[in-house]
Amino acid sequence: MKTFVRHLGFGLFILFGFLAGCSGPKPESISVFAAASTREVIEQLAADFQKETGIAVTANFGPSSGLARQIEQGANADLFLSADESWADYLADKGLVAERRDLLTNKLVVIVPVEGALAIKEMADLTKPEIHRLALAGKAVPAGTYSRKALQSAGLWDQLKDRVVEGGDVRAALAYVTRGEAEVGMVYATDAAGNSKVRIALEVNPKLHDPIRYPLVLIKQDQPHPAARRFYDYLISEHAIEIFTHAGFGMAQGDAHR
């Protein structure tokens, strides 16, 4: 009987020890909300960072406008990479920014299906009668805002606004052209470079729209989150710069804002 009790006590000790181990601290993790146009590079850098540090990174991609509003409403985000400065400013106005820096730059381009014969040599060519559909990101989305501004500056918006098919974000606009549902589209150069079904017909003159800058925001938290700070700094490491530039992004040189 004593042997049984001794064995039972030892078994309970092992069980309680196992349960205590299960209730220990969970591995560190961070959440990044990032513009749809950065999906591939952020996914790669998140995987590289996790392999290097053991810190898990989950990423949520979409239009910058929608992501900023989710963060405003309390979504669990540690960092926000916006495709324009206005949505970083929006969060700053709400008191949600601990720190920010301009991280990336991009270019706006006109794309056509890779197998098509349509020639676009200047912006005015977008008014050709054979162009029935022009794919743009939504007007509240940075890529859509830049595109509309470029068309307005070129004096073409009134002629083209009825031909516009609108995607929820820049990747949706890209998909319209990829599927042949629009003869032309306006997207970021990095989106076009990563898609074999479209080709760049024209680079949009950057003087026609505001500079395309991607601010990286460290979201203000009730408690310090060192892991989020590590990834914030990791995104300006030599390795990250190599990944970004290989994908076609430019690196912004703006100072950090506190």
Side-chain angles (χ1 to χ4, degrees):
M1 182 68 179
K2 290 182 179 180
T3 300
F4 171 77
V5 171
R6 188 184 308 114
H7 285 195
L8 177 61
F10 180 74
L12 291 173
F13 174 79
I14 295 296
L15 176 61
F16 291 146
F18 173 76
L19 292 176
C22 290
S23 62
K26 296 180 180 179
E28 285 187 292
S29 64
I30 57 178
S31 175
V32 179
F33 281 34
S37 54
T38 67
R39 175 183 289 273
E40 289 78 14
V41 286
I42 292 299
E43 285 180 339
Q44 180 176 348
L45 288 168
D48 294 345
F49 179 79
Q50 182 170 344
K51 183 177 180 180
E52 180 179 320
T53 66
I55 299 170
V57 179
T58 58
N60 180 26
F61 301 98
S64 300
S65 53
L67 296 175
R69 290 192 177 102
Q70 289 176 43
I71 294 170
E72 178 194 6
Q73 293 166 8
N76 179 30
D78 298 300
L79 288 92
F80 172 48
L81 181 55
S82 174
D84 79 348
E85 295 178 288
S86 67
W87 289 105
D89 293 341
Y90 179 85
L91 292 183
D93 290 342
K94 304 295 181 182
L96 296 173
V97 174
E99 189 173 327
R100 64 185 273 191
R101 60 165 60 102
D102 287 338
L103 183 65
L104 307 173
T105 64
N106 213 332
K107 297 178 181 178
L108 198 64
V109 297
V110 175
I111 58 169
V112 296
V114 70
E115 296 179 354
L118 184 63
I120 304 292
K121 297 182 179 180
E122 58 183 5
M123 292 286 283
D125 289 338
L126 293 173
T127 63
K128 288 182 175 181
E130 59 265 42
I131 296 177
H132 303 287
R133 294 171 298 277
L134 167 62
L136 304 180
K139 60 184 178 181
V141 177
T145 301
Y146 294 129
S147 297
R148 285 164 176 77
K149 177 62 176 177
L151 292 169
Q152 290 166 358
S153 298
L156 301 173
W157 178 247
D158 288 340
Q159 299 174 66
L160 294 172
K161 61 184 180 182
D162 292 334
R163 305 186 197 184
V164 169
V165 290
E166 190 172 288
D169 57 31
V170 70
R171 293 298 175 89
L174 176 71
Y176 278 123
V177 183
T178 298
R179 297 192 299 260
E181 296 173 7
E183 290 84 5
V184 296
M186 295 181 71
V187 299
Y188 296 126
T190 50
D191 295 306
N195 192 298
S196 62
K197 295 185 178 180
V198 301
R199 61 179 174 87
I200 295 175
L202 179 70
E203 283 195 9
V204 177
N205 186 338
K207 293 181 180 180
L208 294 176
H209 57 79
D210 294 333
I212 301 175
R213 297 193 184 98
Y214 288 62
L216 175 64
V217 172
L218 185 65
I219 302 297
K220 186 177 290 185
Q221 306 289 355
D222 293 335
Q223 298 293 331
H225 194 174
R229 158 65 67 176
R230 286 184 69 179
F231 193 59
Y232 180 80
D233 290 335
Y234 182 78
L235 292 179
I236 57 168
S237 66
E238 289 186 6
H239 174 65
I241 290 171
E242 181 181 351
I243 297 300
F244 285 131
T245 54
H246 181 73
F249 288 98
M251 301 304 300
Q253 300 300 317
D255 295 330
H257 303 273
R258 293 182 183 273

